[in-house]
PDB file of all heavy atoms in Angstrom:
ATOM      1  N   LEU O1559      -2.180  18.181  15.712  1.00 87.00           N
ATOM      2  CA  LEU O1559      -2.505  16.856  16.221  1.00 87.00           C
ATOM      3  C   LEU O1559      -3.226  15.948  15.233  1.00 87.00           C
ATOM      4  O   LEU O1559      -3.303  14.746  15.445  1.00 87.00           O
ATOM      5  CB  LEU O1559      -3.327  16.988  17.511  1.00 87.00           C
ATOM      6  CG  LEU O1559      -2.595  17.669  18.662  1.00 87.00           C
ATOM      7  CD1 LEU O1559      -3.532  17.919  19.824  1.00 87.00           C
ATOM      8  CD2 LEU O1559      -1.397  16.843  19.106  1.00 87.00           C
ATOM      9  N   GLY O1560      -3.734  16.518  14.146  1.00 87.00           N
ATOM     10  CA  GLY O1560      -4.417  15.713  13.131  1.00 87.00           C
ATOM     11  C   GLY O1560      -3.604  14.524  12.651  1.00 87.00           C
ATOM     12  O   GLY O1560      -4.125  13.409  12.559  1.00 87.00           O
ATOM     13  N   PRO O1561      -2.313  14.711  12.357  1.00 84.00           N
ATOM     14  CA  PRO O1561      -1.506  13.574  11.893  1.00 84.00           C
ATOM     15  C   PRO O1561      -1.331  12.472  12.936  1.00 84.00           C
ATOM     16  O   PRO O1561      -0.887  11.374  12.618  1.00 84.00           O
ATOM     17  CB  PRO O1561      -0.147  14.206  11.576  1.00 84.00           C
ATOM     18  CG  PRO O1561      -0.439  15.641  11.325  1.00 84.00           C
ATOM     19  CD  PRO O1561      -1.582  15.976  12.243  1.00 84.00           C
ATOM     20  N   PHE O1562      -1.697  12.740  14.189  1.00 85.00           N
ATOM     21  CA  PHE O1562      -1.530  11.751  15.258  1.00 85.00           C
ATOM     22  C   PHE O1562      -2.850  11.114  15.660  1.00 85.00           C
ATOM     23  O   PHE O1562      -2.969  10.549  16.741  1.00 85.00           O
ATOM     24  CB  PHE O1562      -0.836  12.388  16.458  1.00 85.00           C
ATOM     25  CG  PHE O1562       0.525  12.895  16.106  1.00 85.00           C
ATOM     26  CD1 PHE O1562       0.727  14.232  15.823  1.00 85.00           C
ATOM     27  CD2 PHE O1562       1.591  12.024  15.984  1.00 85.00           C
ATOM     28  CE1 PHE O1562       1.975  14.706  15.456  1.00 85.00           C
ATOM     29  CE2 PHE O1562       2.846  12.488  15.604  1.00 85.00           C
ATOM     30  CZ  PHE O1562       3.033  13.823  15.345  1.00 85.00           C
ATOM     31  N   GLY O1563      -3.870  11.229  14.783  1.00 89.00           N
ATOM     32  CA  GLY O1563      -5.121  10.522  15.023  1.00 89.00           C
ATOM     33  C   GLY O1563      -6.198  11.324  15.717  1.00 89.00           C
ATOM     34  O   GLY O1563      -7.121  10.747  16.283  1.00 89.00           O
ATOM     35  N   PHE O1564      -6.123  12.627  15.670  1.00 93.00           N
ATOM     36  CA  PHE O1564      -7.164  13.454  16.271  1.00 93.00           C
ATOM     37  C   PHE O1564      -8.171  13.867  15.208  1.00 93.00           C
ATOM     38  O   PHE O1564      -7.800  14.223  14.094  1.00 93.00           O
ATOM     39  CB  PHE O1564      -6.559  14.682  16.948  1.00 93.00           C
ATOM     40  CG  PHE O1564      -5.911  14.355  18.258  1.00 93.00           C
ATOM     41  CD1 PHE O1564      -4.674  13.737  18.295  1.00 93.00           C
ATOM     42  CD2 PHE O1564      -6.546  14.638  19.457  1.00 93.00           C
ATOM     43  CE1 PHE O1564      -4.072  13.416  19.496  1.00 93.00           C
ATOM     44  CE2 PHE O1564      -5.956  14.315  20.663  1.00 93.00           C
ATOM     45  CZ  PHE O1564      -4.721  13.702  20.689  1.00 93.00           C
ATOM     46  N   ILE O1565      -9.453  13.794  15.562  1.00 95.00           N
ATOM     47  CA  ILE O1565     -10.542  14.082  14.630  1.00 95.00           C
ATOM     48  C   ILE O1565     -11.347  15.255  15.149  1.00 95.00           C
ATOM     49  O   ILE O1565     -11.764  15.263  16.321  1.00 95.00           O
ATOM     50  CB  ILE O1565     -11.474  12.859  14.484  1.00 95.00           C
ATOM     51  CG1 ILE O1565     -10.696  11.612  14.063  1.00 95.00           C
ATOM     52  CG2 ILE O1565     -12.605  13.166  13.507  1.00 95.00           C
ATOM     53  CD1 ILE O1565     -11.511  10.332  14.120  1.00 95.00           C
ATOM     54  N   ARG O1566     -11.593  16.228  14.297  1.00 95.00           N
ATOM     55  CA  ARG O1566     -12.440  17.381  14.644  1.00 95.00           C
ATOM     56  C   ARG O1566     -13.892  16.956  14.488  1.00 95.00           C
ATOM     57  O   ARG O1566     -14.376  16.765  13.385  1.00 95.00           O
ATOM     58  CB  ARG O1566     -12.102  18.550  13.734  1.00 95.00           C
ATOM     59  CG  ARG O1566     -12.814  19.839  14.052  1.00 95.00           C
ATOM     60  CD  ARG O1566     -12.053  20.592  15.162  1.00 95.00           C
ATOM     61  NE  ARG O1566     -12.582  21.906  15.408  1.00 95.00           N
ATOM     62  CZ  ARG O1566     -12.076  23.028  14.935  1.00 95.00           C
ATOM     63  NH1 ARG O1566     -11.006  23.007  14.164  1.00 95.00           N
ATOM     64  NH2 ARG O1566     -12.615  24.180  15.239  1.00 95.00           N
ATOM     65  N   ILE O1567     -14.599  16.741  15.589  1.00 96.00           N
ATOM     66  CA  ILE O1567     -15.979  16.255  15.539  1.00 96.00           C
ATOM     67  C   ILE O1567     -16.993  17.390  15.619  1.00 96.00           C
ATOM     68  O   ILE O1567     -18.171  17.193  15.331  1.00 96.00           O
ATOM     69  CB  ILE O1567     -16.262  15.230  16.665  1.00 96.00           C
ATOM     70  CG1 ILE O1567     -16.122  15.873  18.041  1.00 96.00           C
ATOM     71  CG2 ILE O1567     -15.373  14.010  16.526  1.00 96.00           C
ATOM     72  CD1 ILE O1567     -16.682  15.048  19.178  1.00 96.00           C
ATOM     73  N   HIS O1568     -16.515  18.547  16.027  1.00 94.00           N
ATOM     74  CA  HIS O1568     -17.390  19.706  16.255  1.00 94.00           C
ATOM     75  C   HIS O1568     -16.478  20.921  16.270  1.00 94.00           C
ATOM     76  O   HIS O1568     -15.270  20.782  16.476  1.00 94.00           O
ATOM     77  CB  HIS O1568     -18.075  19.512  17.614  1.00 94.00           C
ATOM     78  CG  HIS O1568     -19.114  20.505  17.956  1.00 94.00           C
ATOM     79  ND1 HIS O1568     -18.811  21.727  18.491  1.00 94.00           N
ATOM     80  CD2 HIS O1568     -20.471  20.456  17.857  1.00 94.00           C
ATOM     81  CE1 HIS O1568     -19.930  22.391  18.710  1.00 94.00           C
ATOM     82  NE2 HIS O1568     -20.948  21.646  18.325  1.00 94.00           N
ATOM     83  N   SER O1569     -17.041  22.101  16.073  1.00 90.00           N
ATOM     84  CA  SER O1569     -16.190  23.295  16.095  1.00 90.00           C
ATOM     85  C   SER O1569     -15.450  23.428  17.420  1.00 90.00           C
ATOM     86  O   SER O1569     -14.364  23.993  17.478  1.00 90.00           O
ATOM     87  CB  SER O1569     -17.013  24.546  15.816  1.00 90.00           C
ATOM     88  OG  SER O1569     -18.000  24.713  16.817  1.00 90.00           O
ATOM     89  N   GLY O1570     -16.001  22.873  18.483  1.00 93.00           N
ATOM     90  CA  GLY O1570     -15.383  22.991  19.794  1.00 93.00           C
ATOM     91  C   GLY O1570     -14.717  21.739  20.332  1.00 93.00           C
ATOM     92  O   GLY O1570     -14.287  21.720  21.486  1.00 93.00           O
ATOM     93  N   PHE O1571     -14.615  20.667  19.530  1.00 96.00           N
ATOM     94  CA  PHE O1571     -14.032  19.431  20.040  1.00 96.00           C
ATOM     95  C   PHE O1571     -13.114  18.758  19.030  1.00 96.00           C
ATOM     96  O   PHE O1571     -13.458  18.579  17.870  1.00 96.00           O
ATOM     97  CB  PHE O1571     -15.116  18.420  20.434  1.00 96.00           C
ATOM     98  CG  PHE O1571     -15.850  18.784  21.685  1.00 96.00           C
ATOM     99  CD1 PHE O1571     -17.051  19.467  21.615  1.00 96.00           C
ATOM    100  CD2 PHE O1571     -15.338  18.462  22.928  1.00 96.00           C
ATOM    101  CE1 PHE O1571     -17.730  19.817  22.758  1.00 96.00           C
ATOM    102  CE2 PHE O1571     -16.005  18.805  24.084  1.00 96.00           C
ATOM    103  CZ  PHE O1571     -17.215  19.489  23.998  1.00 96.00           C
ATOM    104  N   LEU O1572     -11.952  18.352  19.526  1.00 96.00           N
ATOM    105  CA  LEU O1572     -10.965  17.586  18.780  1.00 96.00           C
ATOM    106  C   LEU O1572     -10.699  16.329  19.616  1.00 96.00           C
ATOM    107  O   LEU O1572     -10.301  16.435  20.773  1.00 96.00           O
ATOM    108  CB  LEU O1572      -9.690  18.423  18.629  1.00 96.00           C
ATOM    109  CG  LEU O1572      -8.572  17.933  17.753  1.00 96.00           C
ATOM    110  CD1 LEU O1572      -9.033  17.806  16.309  1.00 96.00           C
ATOM    111  CD2 LEU O1572      -7.397  18.902  17.827  1.00 96.00           C
ATOM    112  N   VAL O1573     -10.954  15.138  19.040  1.00 97.00           N
ATOM    113  CA  VAL O1573     -10.917  13.895  19.815  1.00 97.00           C
ATOM    114  C   VAL O1573      -9.860  12.937  19.276  1.00 97.00           C
ATOM    115  O   VAL O1573      -9.714  12.763  18.077  1.00 97.00           O
ATOM    116  CB  VAL O1573     -12.302  13.195  19.782  1.00 97.00           C
ATOM    117  CG1 VAL O1573     -12.290  11.912  20.593  1.00 97.00           C
ATOM    118  CG2 VAL O1573     -13.384  14.117  20.295  1.00 97.00           C
ATOM    119  N   ASN O1574      -9.153  12.296  20.197  1.00 95.00           N
ATOM    120  CA  ASN O1574      -8.196  11.253  19.852  1.00 95.00           C
ATOM    121  C   ASN O1574      -9.001  10.001  19.490  1.00 95.00           C
ATOM    122  O   ASN O1574      -9.745   9.469  20.315  1.00 95.00           O
ATOM    123  CB  ASN O1574      -7.293  10.980  21.062  1.00 95.00           C
ATOM    124  CG  ASN O1574      -6.154  10.057  20.758  1.00 95.00           C
ATOM    125  OD1 ASN O1574      -6.218   9.239  19.849  1.00 95.00           O
ATOM    126  ND2 ASN O1574      -5.105  10.164  21.545  1.00 95.00           N
ATOM    127  N   TYR O1575      -8.861   9.518  18.252  1.00 94.00           N
ATOM    128  CA  TYR O1575      -9.685   8.404  17.782  1.00 94.00           C
ATOM    129  C   TYR O1575      -9.527   7.152  18.635  1.00 94.00           C
ATOM    130  O   TYR O1575     -10.443   6.316  18.703  1.00 94.00           O
ATOM    131  CB  TYR O1575      -9.405   8.104  16.308  1.00 94.00           C
ATOM    132  CG  TYR O1575      -8.301   7.111  16.053  1.00 94.00           C
ATOM    133  CD1 TYR O1575      -8.578   5.780  15.779  1.00 94.00           C
ATOM    134  CD2 TYR O1575      -6.960   7.497  16.099  1.00 94.00           C
ATOM    135  CE1 TYR O1575      -7.573   4.869  15.543  1.00 94.00           C
ATOM    136  CE2 TYR O1575      -5.958   6.598  15.861  1.00 94.00           C
ATOM    137  CZ  TYR O1575      -6.258   5.288  15.584  1.00 94.00           C
ATOM    138  OH  TYR O1575      -5.251   4.381  15.363  1.00 94.00           O
ATOM    139  N   ARG O1576      -8.419   6.987  19.317  1.00 93.00           N
ATOM    140  CA  ARG O1576      -8.177   5.790  20.127  1.00 93.00           C
ATOM    141  C   ARG O1576      -9.140   5.678  21.309  1.00 93.00           C
ATOM    142  O   ARG O1576      -9.293   4.607  21.886  1.00 93.00           O
ATOM    143  CB  ARG O1576      -6.745   5.790  20.650  1.00 93.00           C
ATOM    144  CG  ARG O1576      -5.703   5.640  19.564  1.00 93.00           C
ATOM    145  CD  ARG O1576      -4.310   6.020  20.063  1.00 93.00           C
ATOM    146  NE  ARG O1576      -3.394   6.198  18.977  1.00 93.00           N
ATOM    147  CZ  ARG O1576      -3.247   7.325  18.284  1.00 93.00           C
ATOM    148  NH1 ARG O1576      -3.967   8.379  18.576  1.00 93.00           N
ATOM    149  NH2 ARG O1576      -2.384   7.410  17.302  1.00 93.00           N
TER     150      ARG O1576
END
Side-chain angles (χ1 to χ4, degrees):
L1559 297 173
F1562 299 99
F1564 284 76
I1565 305 171
R1566 185 84 173 261
I1567 63 167
H1568 187 277
S1569 62
F1571 287 95
L1572 188 62
V1573 181
N1574 188 334
Y1575 89 99
R1576 293 165 194 85

